Amino acid sequence: MRVTHVELKDFRNYRELTLELVPGPTLIVGSNGQGKTNLVEALGFLSTLGSHRVSTDHAMVRQSMDAAIVRVRLEHNERKFLAEVQINRSGANRAQINRSVIRTRELPRYFSSVLFAPEDLALVRGEPSGRRRFIDDLLVLRSPRFSGVMSDYERVVKQRNMLLKSARASGVRDTQLSTLDVWDERLIAFGSEIISARSALVADLSPEVARAYERIVGADHGASLANSLSVISRQDDPDNAVATNDVGEIISVADATAAFTAALASVRKAERDRAITLVGPHRDDLIFGLNGLPARGYASHGESWSFALALKLASAELLRRDSAAGDPVLILDDVFAELDQSRRERLASSISGFEQVLITAAVYGDVPAELAANVVRIQAGKVISSE
């Protein structure tokens, strides 16, 4: 898959932008603050329906404007698509494919990309929510139908929490709270499907991460992933989940359903007291391993950076192998400045086979020459040259 044409309107610092892109690597160069990251952020949003920089969509709309538009032309196996999303400052976003309106959550079916940026260091060092979003974004890119499953699960969690809060406020006894059983059934059904799919994805991704990390650093440090599942952690203390299934273990939907059902029963009183759903995919985590230790808390800055980059390269390899969309567009935002010369060369070699790679850099010389055959120069939200 590749992007042949990009149009932006009122996106970040871009009043209007039109840009043609070619296959292979393209280097986007410009001083800090000129709009390089804004450009690749727009493409990432079209693919994942989220920004790697902010949690709210309206931050991407140019100041004083009501909406931003991201429009791209895509090619895959001689098929061409025009994909568009309108990001509204207030109200729901809107999406189109070939000028026909679709549900926004269907966009990932048409465009697959993997973006790495400095903010991804938080995948290793940050909170579980970032790791959950990482694995869920990849799951949707690999199997787009899970976008609906996750939306349904989030809706059930929200409704269930509202019921628990209402029951606590009104003093309703557990025996009188029959409605909760209905929401429990839906929570378990959607949640068990997510747990099983995540475990299968982690089993496939872990060996790819190990290979990607070794390619980047030039040595095998035993990089690995494992699930930390709240439904099979210490059920008397669901906030202290530990790695609860081995690397490579896949949990069936039936096993997840049984564990989820038992976990909900064990925390029912605690949920009533705290008025919140305490177990389920929204409380799970990923454990990243390096040299036999958890990367979070033990890995150095350089090791954490390399691990985060390996996660994204492994994701791209997995998608190009398994996704119907073929090669994802690989986007590397300000990566090479953090790498020494040997790692730059190894990274360049690792990504050379992708159909399209977009790279941003503040300094032209930071990027190996083989990745700079096509150059786009950005200044103050405008393309000043395209070579």
Side-chain angles (χ1 to χ4, degrees), residues 29-49:
V29 181
S31 302
N32 293 332
Q34 302 306 300
K36 307 182 303 297
T37 296
N38 295 344
L39 173 56
V40 296
E41 178 188 27
L43 295 175
F45 182 87
L46 196 70
S47 174
T48 65
L49 305 180

Side-chain angles (χ1 to χ4, degrees), residues 293-316:
L293 296 170
R296 186 184 184 190
Y298 288 93
S300 68
H301 175 81
E303 288 172 332
S304 297
W305 179 273
S306 296
F307 198 105
L309 179 55
L311 285 170
K312 293 305 182 78
L313 295 181
S315 300

